[in-house]
Amino acid sequence: MSHTIADKEKLLLRVKKIKGQLSSLEKALEDEKECFKILQQISAARGAIHSLMSEVLDGHIKEHLGNHVSEADREKEIQNLASLLKTYLK
């Protein structure tokens, strides 16, 4: 996948934020924080991962399904993405 340097840095920053959220979640579980606080942290982490997935998926679609891609490659990529989305959306 070809991203610009700015895109790459933005994606890496998102991953670092997700790591921080997961570390906070782990600490909350270890410290036996109240369930609602833990649920909030899970929700925030899920949202952050969802945003990362959306951004990478958008770039992937533009790169692998654009007009510059052959019909055979496009069909293969559609099948790959359909399979991926089935597992992601479970």
Side-chain angles (χ1 to χ4, degrees), residues 46 49-50 53 57 78-90:
R46 183 180 181 272
I49 290 172
H50 181 73
M53 178 72 165
L57 183 59
I78 289 169
Q79 291 174 3
N80 288 342
L81 285 172
S83 176
L84 174 85
L85 289 173
K86 283 179 187 174
T87 60
Y88 180 73
L89 297 172
K90 280 186 178 181

Side-chain angles (χ1 to χ4, degrees), residues 17-30 41:
K17 286 181 181 181
I18 292 167
K19 282 181 175 179
Q21 288 173 318
L22 293 176
S23 291
S24 294
L25 174 59
E26 181 179 27
K27 183 162 178 24
L29 288 167
E30 289 172 346
Q41 289 181 313

Side-chain angles (χ1 to χ4, degrees), residues 2 4 8-9 13 18 39 43 45 51 54 57 60 69 73-74 76 79 85-86:
S2 62
T4 66
K8 179 181 173 182
E9 293 301 320
L13 182 59
I18 292 167
L39 289 168
S43 178
S51 292
S54 294
L57 183 59
H60 184 79
V69 178
D73 287 343
R74 186 178 295 116
K76 180 181 173 193
Q79 291 174 3
L85 289 173
K86 283 179 187 174

Side-chain angles (χ1 to χ4, degrees), residues 46-65:
R46 183 180 181 272
I49 290 172
H50 181 73
S51 292
L52 176 64
M53 178 72 165
S54 294
E55 191 160 334
V56 174
L57 183 59
D58 181 67
H60 184 79
I61 287 169
K62 288 175 182 171
E63 183 176 335
H64 294 279
L65 296 176

